[in-house]
Amino acid sequence: MDLSEIRILLLGDDNVGRTSLIYSLVSEDVVPSSSNLNLTGDSLRPTTDDISIPPEVTRARVPTVIMDYCGRQPMSPDEIDDLLLPMECPSPNPLLQSSRSLYSCIRQAHVICLVYAFDSRESRDRLLTVWLPLIDRSATTIPIILVANKCDLIDENNDNKNDINHENREFFRLTMLKYSRIEACIETSTRTMKNISELFYSAQKCVLYPINYLQEQNKLTKRFKQCLKRIFTIADQDNDQLLNDFELTTLQDYCFGKIQTNDQKTTIEQLKKEIKRRTVHGIKIINDQTGLTTTALTYQGFECLFELYLNKGKYETIYTTLERFSYNRKLELCVPNAPDDLTGELSPSAVDYLTRLFRRFDSDNDSCLTLNELNQLFESLIDIIPPISSSLSNIKHCIYLRLSLTSSKTPLLTLSGFLAQWFFLAHSQPSLTYSYLFQLGYSYGLSIIDDTNLPSRMTYICHVYGMPESGKSSFLKRFVSSTIYQVHHSADLAEKSNNKTKAFFSYDYLSKSLYKQIKFYAIDFVRVLNETKCLILEECHTNDFDEKIIFKNANINCFLIDRTHPRAFSNVATIYLQHHVYPRLPCLFILTKADQPSVKQDYPLPIEFFCRQHKIPLPIDYSSVTTITIYSNNKDNNQQLTTNTEHMSQSWFTSLLFRSHNNSTRTLEPYSPRGDKTRHQDDIYVRLGYLCVYPKLNYFTNSTNDFYNTDALLKYSLYASVVTLGLVTVARMFR
């Protein structure tokens, strides 16, 4: 735990040896007796200056400041309030002006050492009547160490030695039961140097490794158990609720470094034996991958392991483990701030880790997550709910994802939908995505996943425009489903989830008012030249060119023209002419409701002439109810078409992307992107993906089909490479 310095305050009555303790520590020598110096009381004069000890001298390697309070001592409980007044407050008692620094001393200290004389019952009793109540009244929660100084005086008197020692230990026990902030009780002697260095090292450990956050009344605190549960879940990579030897070794290497020793396996086996002796259900017998019988650690045994560390005083081991998982001294999870240069894209290792996470919590192995499994994922790993971006607050985000329905019509989240939501978060709220990945243990997963590939451009945005009832919602639904009926969106799942899952679905759970607006999206994956791309369709309206659009920078615009409405194309043309300035984005015009008769459009120019004039591809016929597109035949609209390859058009995206049913090669992608299926309805969405990645293809007019075959695409790629090489060559020539 990083601290600039540790401030130790010594309190107690006069003549108990506070200053002698400091002298013995600094000089590393015994204190001369008062008879040799002809002094009374303490053999040394109290100092008002703070003693600074450099880090290389202390065992904890932390700069330490020792403060010895030398002001007026409280003589009775009635003087406590006056002594604790801040320095700015005037006091009616002029005798207390020099003692006013007691308040600031207590507030500045990290740990308090309460010192009393071993042979003075009066100084010991005043700890209970004056000093401990005074510290409680100061409204501070810093730890306390009881110090019984001058224990060498009892050794000289052998008659009452046993009785006094027993009485002192009983005082320690009863006082620690009454005051939970007392973390240690130590007997010291400045004449024999007994426990001098141990005292100040214990004070440093109380600050660096406070025990009161770990243990309460000899039991693990509730907060400490929550931290252990999260660490156990992250370390349990196969999600079998057990930690095998490999997972224990990985956890040990992650926390303490990869130190390979011959005794490492022996140490793990010894810990297992001790855990098994303490708890019955701490160890479970399993069969490993080779078929051999071995043992694994349950969560109950994991808790027992840290109880052993507590009993043995290995606080540094506990806090080192907590620190590696970003917990501070108060067991608060410290999520670092997101870097300023976030790209809004998920790296290949992040996609791989999220896929593994999905598999881990898919308990029934049906490739879907139920609502309970989804809540369990975020409830067990997410500690702090990141705030939702202010630009997305008070907005109901309805995201159509690839879901699966059970027999009872309950929506289940598929792996494609799970990853699509992550791509949406990464593009819309990078800081929230960074916080979630951090809490899900992504940094721990990087120690297992060896992947250094940089994130590439994978997410593309498509704005979908059109008049009301032009089929925008149906167009979005068909992107993730084979039908427009009974299609659920993310808000349906979020409303029945806990707050941690709601934030994952960009659901503003903090807002108590009604939503100002509702935004609809559809997210899925498409294949572009054997590369998987995430395509986000955002529904837009005519007046959505202002702050209502979440993704300002689109990669392509899609305009839906309702063939049954006479002013549909006029609306689309107006939007295009008003807001499409150079450099123009790729556009795609779609004539919706192809299963219904069309009406004459109320616009001066025909649609075909308008498209040729502005170098826009001709509109595509589309129907969300049936499977009608420009590439399908119309003889069986009520059933899903099962056409062969020869029935498809020879368009460049169809020729490149559609594969034969006989190709049984399994793809390495964890999701099922569009482009690998023989459904004509996918052609439009795949074409959107191609126009996003290769926007120059928008300038190929489709007056002939020659521009849409494979050769044309390859020629275009070669042309782009030659032009780029030529520009570089010319630039070098004119240097």
Side-chain angles (χ1 to χ4, degrees), residues 272-300:
K272 288 182 179 180
K273 291 180 180 179
E274 194 165 356
I275 292 172
K276 187 176 181 180
R277 187 167 57 249
R278 286 176 171 266
T279 176
V280 180
H281 304 288
I283 303 296
K284 187 176 181 180
I285 300 176
I286 60 173
N287 294 325
D288 59 8
Q289 297 179 354
T290 60
L292 299 177
T293 302
T294 183
T295 56
L297 195 67
T298 64
Y299 173 69
Q300 187 175 353

Side-chain angles (χ1 to χ4, degrees), residues 551 585 684 726:
F551 302 106
L585 291 177
I684 293 180

Side-chain angles (χ1 to χ4, degrees), residues 580 688 698:
H580 270 253
L688 287 174
N698 184 63

Side-chain angles (χ1 to χ4, degrees), residues 55 190 267 504-505 733:
T190 58
T267 304
F504 168 68
F505 285 117
M733 292 174 59

Side-chain angles (χ1 to χ4, degrees), residues 57-314:
V57 177
T58 62
R59 293 168 61 182
R61 302 300 178 185
V62 179
T64 304
V65 177
I66 302 177
M67 302 180 295
D68 184 12
Y69 173 69
C70 303
R72 180 180 175 84
Q73 304 289 330
M75 303 306 297
S76 65
D78 298 334
E79 297 182 4
I80 293 178
D81 292 336
D82 281 335
L83 284 172
L84 291 179
L85 285 175
M87 189 171 292
E88 296 81 10
C89 301
S91 175
N93 189 353
L95 298 178
L96 296 177
Q97 295 295 332
S98 61
S99 304
R100 193 54 50 82
S101 60
L102 177 60
Y103 175 84
S104 60
C105 287
I106 295 178
R107 304 299 293 181
Q108 293 174 7
H110 294 129
V111 58
I112 296 177
C113 294
L114 274 181
V115 187
Y116 71 94
F118 201 96
D119 60 339
S120 174
R121 181 173 298 177
E122 179 184 359
S123 64
R124 185 186 67 187
D125 294 340
R126 280 173 52 82
L127 296 184
L128 297 176
T129 58
V130 177
W131 288 108
L132 286 171
L134 183 146
I135 297 174
D136 283 341
R137 296 281 290 276
S138 65
T140 181
T141 58
I142 60 177
I144 301 173
I145 296 179
L146 295 184
V147 183
N149 196 23
K150 303 183 181 181
C151 63
D152 58 285
L153 299 179
I154 302 301
D155 295 335
E156 298 174 358
N157 187 3
N158 296 326
D159 296 336
N160 300 327
K161 176 182 177 180
N162 295 332
D163 295 338
I164 295 178
N165 286 335
H166 175 73
E167 183 180 357
N168 189 68
R169 293 191 182 96
E170 189 67 16
F171 171 76
F172 281 166
R173 186 182 67 84
L174 296 177
T175 308
M176 291 186 70
L177 289 177
K178 185 176 181 180
Y179 295 93
S180 60
R181 288 160 48 193
I182 299 178
E183 297 194 5
C185 302
I186 300 178
E187 297 179 359
T188 60
S189 172
T190 58
R191 293 181 59 184
T192 62
M193 296 297 292
K194 179 182 179 180
N195 294 335
I196 299 299
S197 60
E198 285 75 6
L199 167 63
F200 291 98
Y201 180 57
S202 299
Q204 290 175 329
K205 289 199 301 182
C206 287
V207 180
L208 295 174
Y209 319 116
I211 191 177
N212 56 322
Y213 295 104
L214 307 177
Q215 195 175 34
E216 187 176 6
Q217 297 179 355
N218 295 327
K219 294 182 179 180
L220 301 184
T221 60
K222 181 180 179 181
R223 177 56 185 167
F224 187 32
K225 288 184 178 180
Q226 293 175 350
C227 299
L228 292 180
K229 183 63 177 178
R230 177 175 173 269
I231 295 175
F232 181 88
T233 305
I234 293 175
D236 183 17
Q237 291 298 308
D238 52 5
N239 207 36
D240 59 351
Q241 308 303 319
L242 297 171
L243 293 183
N244 53 39
D245 290 346
F246 174 76
E247 292 170 339
L248 283 174
T249 304
T250 303
L251 178 62
Q252 184 178 0
D253 294 342
Y254 179 75
C255 295
F256 308 103
K258 294 184 179 181
I259 304 177
Q260 300 295 336
T261 60
N262 297 329
D263 299 334
Q264 188 176 29
K265 187 174 181 180
T266 305
T267 304
I268 294 177
E269 293 299 328
Q270 291 176 352
L271 289 174
K272 288 182 179 180
K273 291 180 180 179
E274 194 165 356
I275 292 172
K276 187 176 181 180
R277 187 167 57 249
R278 286 176 171 266
T279 176
V280 180
H281 304 288
I283 303 296
K284 187 176 181 180
I285 300 176
I286 60 173
N287 294 325
D288 59 8
Q289 297 179 354
T290 60
L292 299 177
T293 302
T294 183
T295 56
L297 195 67
T298 64
Y299 173 69
Q300 187 175 353
F302 192 66
E303 282 190 357
C304 183
L305 175 63
F306 282 86
E307 288 178 354
L308 289 174
Y309 289 152
L310 278 174
N311 296 335
K312 294 180 179 181
K314 295 184 177 181

